[in-house]
């Protein structure tokens, strides 16, 4: 069993892989490397805004794969007003839950004489460790190629949508958001919570509508299964099911097959994966990643009132003015122009390791200790144990977004908690 482990990452994944190691009986040294503003929570749960809710019901948000009631038990003991299992708890409360787990983990390490240390804004000296676990979470979105490099360093561009000083954004002009997913929704609600009243424009390639969870949890229904699981057969299967079922039942069918998604993805050919990324990725994201009905109502009100305009189109150019940006963009082939206070990049985490800003990832990639997967959508791993495939002299494990190219479904709590236990067990099984 390894004696010195480096865990890279300060969010949910880093917390839970350490906790699983300790619960499974690890003895040795664990050093956690994280940024100064991320020791336990990661960006999703650092918010202080109560109106930002989890996108998954509380009954499915336990941090432990084998203790399904853990989060609900925490709510009953500490926040009984939010303890309904089928409700969507505020994210700030989930942050409190993770802080509780981390504090318990540190106490367990102390009681078991495990050397658990944390280092802020440092990169590990890899030669000092037996094993490395990459739990780096979401990387910053890629800077739009239409944005001049000099503008990317100004206050008019917010390249990190999870760390914005909303109260410092001028309110005399509308705001331009690039992207139309869950992060866009969070950004709009955060802007409103901080008093911004001007118009918000959201531009994405497809402009798909966000789907909401049913207001009440749906009873499990009979799940029909596809006979063939190549991409074309799956597409035909889900299209037929969509036509013969009400929307809520169709979404329930999608949820019922959740555990099959990664297996289907692993069975796709490279060409099928590329076709999916080019033609279906955004549609699939809108179906799979849903928002609470309460949040959907707020977004609908914003759109109906004209406060939020969601457009399908593309960015053309961005130029600086004296106190903002002039942005040219296209909708239905027609070019439009507007003056905006700023541009917020909500296009999603950067998947390519060659373009990530993370210095640890860059160092490992330069040394070929890790390599890109065949889609350049993360790092190449063994899907059975999450070991990185490369020239590293020590085992390197990866979890979360870094594994998306291999597993596709690899970013939600349900996947991350299972990955944490799988990796910890794999490390403990090493002789």
């Amino acid at each position: 069993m390894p004696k010195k482990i480096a865990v890279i990452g300060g969010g949910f994944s880093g917390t839970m892989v350490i906790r699983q190691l300790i619960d499974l009986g690890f003895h040795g040294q664990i050093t956690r490397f994280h940024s100064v503003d991320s020791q336990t929570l990661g960006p999703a749960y650092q918010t202080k805004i109560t109106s930002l809710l989890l996108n998954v019901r509380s009954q499915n948000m336990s941090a432990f794969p084998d203790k399904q009631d853990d989060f609900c038990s925490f709510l009953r003991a500490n926040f009984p007003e939010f303890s309904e299992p089928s409700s969507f708890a505020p994210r700030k409360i989930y942050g409190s839950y993770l802080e509780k787990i981390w504090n318990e983990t540190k106490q367990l390490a102390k009681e078991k004489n495990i050397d658990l240390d944390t280092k802020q804004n440092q990169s590990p000296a890899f030669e000092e460790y037996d094993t490395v676990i990459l739990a780096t979470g979401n990387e910053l979105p890629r800077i739009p190629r239409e944005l001049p490099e000099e503008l990317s360093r100004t206050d008019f561009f917010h390249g990190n949508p999870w760390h914005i000083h909303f109260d410092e954004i001028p309110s005399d002009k509308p705001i331009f958001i690039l992207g139309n997913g869950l992060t866009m929704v969070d950004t709009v609600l955060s802007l409103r919570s901080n008093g911004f009243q001007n118009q918000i424009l959201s531009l994405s390639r497809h402009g798909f509508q966000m789907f909401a969870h049913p207001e009440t949890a749906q009873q499990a229904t009979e799940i029909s299964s596809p006979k063939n699981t190549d991409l074309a057969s799956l597409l035909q299967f889900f299209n037929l099911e969509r036509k013969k079922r009400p929307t809520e039942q169709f979404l329930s069918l999608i949820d019922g097959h959740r555990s099959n998604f990664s297996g289907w993805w692993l069975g796709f050919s490279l060409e099928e994966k590329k076709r999916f990324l080019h033609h279906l990725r955004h549609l699939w994201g809108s179906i799979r990643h849903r928002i609470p009905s309460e949040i959907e109502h707020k977004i609908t009100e914003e759109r109906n009132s004209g406060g939020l305009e969601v457009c399908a189109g593309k960015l053309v150019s961005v130029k600086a003015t004296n106190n903002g940006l002039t942005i040219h963009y296209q909708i239905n082939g027609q070019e439009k122009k507007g003056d905006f206070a700023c541009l917020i990049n909500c296009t999603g985490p950067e998947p390519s390791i060659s373009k990530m800003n993370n210095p640890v990832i860059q160092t490992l990639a330069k040394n070929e200790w890790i390599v890109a997967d065949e889609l350049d959508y993360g790092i190449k791993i063994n899907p059975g144990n999450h070991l990185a495939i490369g020239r590293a002299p020590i085992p390197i494990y990866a979890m979360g977004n870094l594994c998306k190219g291999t597993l596709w479904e690899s970013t939600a709590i349900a996947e991350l908690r299972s990955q944490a236990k799988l990796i910890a067990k794999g490390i403990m099984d090493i002789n």
Side-chain angles (χ1 to χ4, degrees):
M1 182 179 69
K3 293 298 183 182
K4 297 182 70 175
I5 296 176
V7 176
I8 318 298
F12 175 92
S13 296
T15 294
M16 293 314 301
V17 76
I18 293 171
R19 177 57 177 269
Q20 289 288 355
L21 281 166
I22 292 174
D23 285 351
L24 290 173
F26 175 81
H27 289 287
Q29 176 183 323
I30 303 174
T31 305
R32 183 179 197 173
F33 296 83
H34 61 90
S35 62
V36 69
D37 61 347
S38 175
Q39 179 171 321
T40 311
L41 307 183
Y45 311 117
Q46 291 182 16
T47 180
K48 297 179 181 179
I49 302 173
T50 306
S51 60
L52 291 182
L53 306 179
L54 296 171
N55 293 315
V56 176
R57 300 184 194 276
S58 297
Q59 61 197 10
N60 298 321
M61 286 296 292
S62 170
F64 300 89
D66 50 357
K67 294 190 288 185
Q68 291 296 310
D69 191 54
D70 194 66
F71 179 52
C72 289
S73 177
F74 169 82
L75 291 175
R76 289 192 294 270
N78 299 278
F79 301 93
E81 68 273 26
F82 296 107
S83 62
E84 169 55 47
S86 63
S87 66
F88 299 87
R91 291 191 195 174
K92 63 180 294 186
I93 289 180
Y94 198 75
S96 299
Y97 170 61
L98 294 183
E99 286 181 328
K100 168 184 170 289
I101 291 174
W102 179 237
N103 289 332
E104 289 175 350
T105 300
K106 291 188 290 185
Q107 182 61 34
L108 285 170
K110 184 176 180 181
E111 292 172 359
K112 297 181 178 183
N113 295 318
I114 298 169
D115 184 0
L116 176 58
D117 191 18
T118 59
K119 296 185 182 297
Q120 295 182 348
N121 288 356
Q122 296 183 38
S123 293
F126 294 109
E127 65 274 8
E128 297 179 3
Y129 297 91
D130 304 313
T131 300
V132 173
I133 302 172
L134 299 177
T136 52
N138 291 333
E139 295 295 326
L140 295 182
R142 184 178 303 180
I143 296 176
R145 65 177 180 274
E146 298 84 1
L147 185 79
E149 184 177 352
E150 62 271 16
L151 285 183
S152 68
R153 297 187 292 270
T154 70
D155 293 337
F156 301 136
F157 175 68
H158 298 279
N160 185 348
W162 305 290
H163 188 69
I164 298 174
H165 298 291
F166 290 100
D167 54 345
E168 297 179 4
I169 295 178
S171 59
D172 59 335
K173 291 185 180 67
I175 284 177
F176 193 101
I177 295 178
L178 195 61
N180 177 34
L182 299 178
T183 306
M184 180 277 287
V185 172
D186 288 352
T187 302
V188 170
L189 296 179
S190 297
L191 283 165
R192 298 306 188 211
S193 295
N194 282 276
F196 185 82
Q197 297 181 0
N198 216 317
Q199 187 185 38
I200 302 169
L201 186 145
S202 168
L203 182 77
S204 67
R205 180 180 172 187
H206 298 284
F208 287 128
Q209 177 181 343
M210 300 291 294
F211 283 92
H213 293 282
E215 293 194 12
T216 57
Q218 298 294 294
Q219 295 293 324
T221 57
E222 183 178 349
I223 301 297
S224 55
S225 298
K227 293 181 179 179
N228 300 302
T229 57
D230 59 282
L231 180 59
S233 296
L234 286 172
L235 184 59
Q236 182 182 35
F237 168 78
F238 283 114
N239 272 333
L240 290 173
E241 293 294 329
R242 178 179 57 84
K243 292 176 181 177
K244 68 183 184 183
R245 296 172 182 258
T247 299
E248 289 186 356
Q249 288 187 15
F250 174 68
L251 295 179
S252 179
L253 173 71
I254 295 289
D255 293 340
H257 281 294
R258 176 173 182 151
S259 61
N260 298 321
F261 294 156
S262 289
W264 292 341
W265 181 262
L266 286 166
F268 289 170
S269 68
L270 178 58
E271 186 58 35
E272 285 178 310
K273 292 176 181 178
K274 288 180 177 179
R275 287 206 303 271
F276 176 91
L277 291 177
H278 185 71
H279 298 290
L280 299 170
R281 173 169 59 97
H282 296 288
L283 177 59
W284 182 250
S286 69
I287 293 173
R288 269 285 290 114
H289 305 291
R290 290 167 237 146
I291 55 179
S293 58
E294 177 182 338
I295 301 300
E296 194 267 343
H297 293 330
K298 291 181 179 181
I299 294 299
T300 299
E301 290 174 2
E302 285 281 351
R303 297 184 68 168
N304 291 340
S305 68
L308 171 65
E309 182 180 2
V310 178
C311 305
K314 66 177 184 178
L315 189 65
V316 176
S317 66
V318 184
K319 296 181 180 179
T321 63
N322 290 333
N323 56 354
L325 300 172
T326 296
I327 299 178
H328 290 76
Y329 54 101
Q330 284 186 358
I331 299 177
N332 296 326
Q334 295 185 342
E335 186 163 324
K336 296 181 177 293
K337 180 181 75 171
D339 292 327
F340 297 88
C342 65
L343 188 156
I344 301 176
N345 191 1
C346 294
T347 54
E350 172 61 60
S352 172
I353 62 172
S354 65
K355 296 181 175 64
M356 291 178 182
N357 293 320
N358 190 313
V360 171
I361 298 297
Q362 291 303 316
T363 297
L364 294 175
K366 182 179 180 181
N367 293 332
E368 297 184 344
W369 286 19
I370 60 173
V371 296
D373 61 56
E374 59 186 3
L375 294 168
D376 197 20
Y377 243 73
I379 71 174
K380 191 173 184 179
I381 65 164
N382 181 324
N385 56 19
H386 283 250
L387 269 170
I389 297 173
R391 298 183 178 180
I394 59 174
I396 297 179
Y397 294 86
M399 54 191 306
N401 214 51
L402 289 171
C403 307
K404 193 166 185 179
T406 301
L407 302 171
W408 191 251
E409 297 293 344
S410 183
T411 59
I413 293 296
E415 289 92 40
L416 298 179
R417 64 191 179 196
S418 295
Q419 291 176 15
K421 186 167 185 176
L422 176 69
I423 291 170
K425 189 176 185 306
I427 290 172
M428 296 298 295
D429 288 344
I430 296 175
N431 295 325

